[in-house]
């Protein structure tokens, strides 16, 4: 496993900043509404840029805007430098959201070395879909999301999981053909957006709160926010959002919780030549 020292981590962050700038450029040109979210928004508010130990960046768009962005990348993305990946254009890609990657780099997450697609430094591009306003139905939806997500994760879980019994379960789940899983996922997307709901979520990413969703109006109302000396779109009511997601977000976590993701191999040198 590669140890991300301060210098190497900063190089990764600067490449991700470059990717954020490309997202912002495309969205402005094509009138697409997006927000920086999660730790990226927290970093902007608390640090004026990256959380010092953070090694990723997150952008979210409601489903209709995500689809506009995905299509805009076909014509507008600088494909000499970047690639946009999701399960519809990248063979073997098993995540229910997109990634924008920098060509000429390598950023292999631990236990994902065998995944059959280019794995450069990236930022996550998340679609937000509606979830039921009724809490009981939203809880059921959360379980459905969990099940499909674990099936998609199985090709990694069969290697990464330490428990032998769970590894065997993942191996069985990994036998389910991707086309059937994603066919089901697309039906989930359709059902989620038949009507406008009060809450939304990333269907194929954990939602670690007891509400199993986030308020839609947070993502619909944005403002300019500075991040690493650049201006991006972020949630206007960031205080409510960050309190909801992190609690007392201005308080730094204990040192033992200030961790980056495990990385088995990394190369950022080409990006700087």
């Amino acid at each position: 496993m590669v140890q991300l020292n301060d210098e190497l981590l900063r190089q990764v962050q600067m490449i991700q900043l470059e990717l954020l700038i490309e997202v912002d450029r495309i969205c402005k040109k094509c009138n697409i509404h997006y927000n920086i979210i999660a730790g990226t928004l927290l970093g902007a508010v608390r640090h004026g840029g990256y959380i010092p130990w953070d090694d990723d960046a997150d952008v979210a768009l409601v489903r209709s805007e995500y689809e506009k962005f995905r299509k805009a990348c076909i014509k507008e993305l600088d494909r000499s430098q970047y690639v946009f990946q999701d399960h519809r254009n990248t063979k073997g890609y098993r995540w229910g959201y997109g990634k924008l990657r920098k060509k000429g780099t390598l950023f292999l997450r631990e236990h994902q070395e065998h995944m059959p697609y280019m794995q450069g430094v990236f930022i996550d591009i998340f679609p937000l879909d509606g979830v039921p306003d009724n809490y009981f139905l939203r809880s059921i939806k959360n379980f459905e999301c969990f099940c499909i997500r674990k099936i998609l994760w199985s090709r990694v879980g069969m290697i990464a999981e330490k428990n032998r019994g769970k590894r065997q379960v993942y191996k069985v789940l990994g036998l389910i053909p991707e086309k059937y899983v994603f066919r089901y996922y697309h039906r989930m997307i359709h059902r989620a957006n038949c009507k406008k709901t009060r809450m939304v979520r990333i269907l194929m990413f954990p939602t670690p709160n007891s509400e199993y969703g986030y308020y839609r109006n947070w993502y619909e109302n944005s403002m300019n926010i500075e991040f690493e000396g650049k201006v991006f779109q972020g949630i206007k009511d960031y205080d409510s959002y960050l309190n909801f997601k992190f609690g007392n977000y201005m308080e730094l976590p204990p040192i033992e919780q200030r961790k980056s993701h495990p990385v088995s191999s990394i190369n950022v040198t080409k990006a700087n030549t």
Side-chain angles (χ1 to χ4, degrees):
M1 190 171 72
V2 177
Q3 185 67 38
L4 281 178
N5 58 39
D6 291 346
E7 180 181 355
L8 190 55
L9 176 59
R10 190 59 176 166
Q11 287 181 289
V12 170
Q13 290 174 346
M14 289 300 98
I15 295 170
Q16 292 173 342
L17 178 63
E18 181 184 331
L19 293 166
L20 287 171
I21 292 170
E22 179 70 357
V23 169
D24 181 72
R25 181 188 69 81
I26 293 172
C27 288
K28 284 179 177 175
K29 182 174 182 179
C30 300
N31 194 29
I32 298 170
H33 187 113
Y34 78 95
N35 286 286
I36 57 171
I37 63 162
T40 310
L41 182 61
L42 173 59
V45 173
R46 194 172 67 192
H47 303 273
Y50 272 97
I51 298 171
W53 54 90
D54 202 3
D55 66 346
D56 61 12
D58 301 315
V59 171
L61 309 89
V62 296
R63 174 60 66 174
S64 59
E65 299 299 290
Y66 177 87
E67 295 301 327
K68 286 166 61 178
F69 179 80
R70 184 179 66 84
K71 292 174 183 176
C73 282
I74 297 172
K75 292 185 177 181
E76 304 297 340
L77 183 67
D78 181 355
R79 284 182 283 177
S80 68
Q81 298 191 69
Y82 313 111
V83 59
F84 176 75
Q85 299 173 331
D86 79 355
H87 66 278
R88 286 169 285 188
N89 69 4
T90 304
K91 186 176 181 181
Y93 187 94
R94 294 176 66 88
W95 321 123
Y97 49 89
K99 294 181 184 288
L100 186 65
R101 295 189 188 266
K102 172 76 172 181
K103 290 184 175 179
T105 66
L106 181 67
F107 192 81
L108 281 179
R109 287 274 178 85
E110 190 178 23
H111 305 306
Q112 297 186 30
E113 300 87 349
H114 62 292
M115 301 302 277
Y117 47 80
M118 190 277 277
Q119 297 192 61
V121 176
F122 68 91
I123 62 174
D124 287 317
I125 313 292
F126 290 118
L128 297 161
D129 296 294
V131 289
D133 292 329
N134 178 274
Y135 180 78
F136 177 72
L137 295 178
R138 199 160 63 246
S139 302
I140 294 174
K141 174 60 66 175
N142 182 67
F143 180 71
E144 180 187 24
C145 291
F146 170 84
C147 292
I148 302 303
R149 189 175 75 248
K150 289 300 181 181
I151 294 172
L152 292 175
W153 173 254
S154 61
R155 296 290 173 86
V156 176
M158 65 176 65
I159 297 172
E161 176 56 55
K162 295 180 181 179
N163 181 279
R164 183 179 178 182
K166 291 181 180 180
R167 282 201 307 273
Q168 297 306 312
V169 172
Y170 279 127
K171 286 181 180 179
V172 173
L173 294 178
L175 297 175
I176 302 174
E178 288 178 27
K179 64 179 181 179
Y180 297 126
V181 184
F182 281 117
R183 189 177 299 172
Y184 185 90
Y185 175 50
H186 280 278
R187 288 199 294 267
M188 288 177 65
I189 293 170
H190 175 74
R191 293 194 302 269
N193 296 285
C194 286
K195 66 176 183 177
K196 189 173 182 178
T197 56
R198 184 172 56 96
M199 300 190 82
V200 296
R201 65 168 288 176
I202 307 159
L203 296 179
M204 292 296 106
F205 199 80
T207 301
N209 63 59
S210 59
E211 291 295 329
Y212 307 123
Y214 298 88
Y215 294 102
R216 182 187 294 270
N217 63 4
W218 284 336
Y219 303 98
E220 292 179 336
N221 297 286
S222 305
M223 65 179 230
N224 289 334
I225 188 163
E226 187 171 322
F227 180 87
E228 296 290 345
K230 304 295 182 181
V231 176
F232 300 103
Q233 288 293 294
I235 292 171
K236 186 175 182 179
D237 188 8
Y238 63 81
D239 183 63
S240 295
Y241 168 80
L242 292 175
N243 266 304
F244 184 85
K245 186 169 180 64
F246 297 109
N248 183 12
Y249 63 88
M250 293 303 290
E251 181 179 330
L252 293 176
I255 293 176
E256 62 271 16
Q257 294 181 18
R258 304 176 192 178
K259 297 179 180 179
S260 302
H261 293 90
V263 178
S264 63
S265 185
I266 185 169
N267 185 351
V268 296
T269 56
K270 291 183 181 179
N272 300 321
T273 59

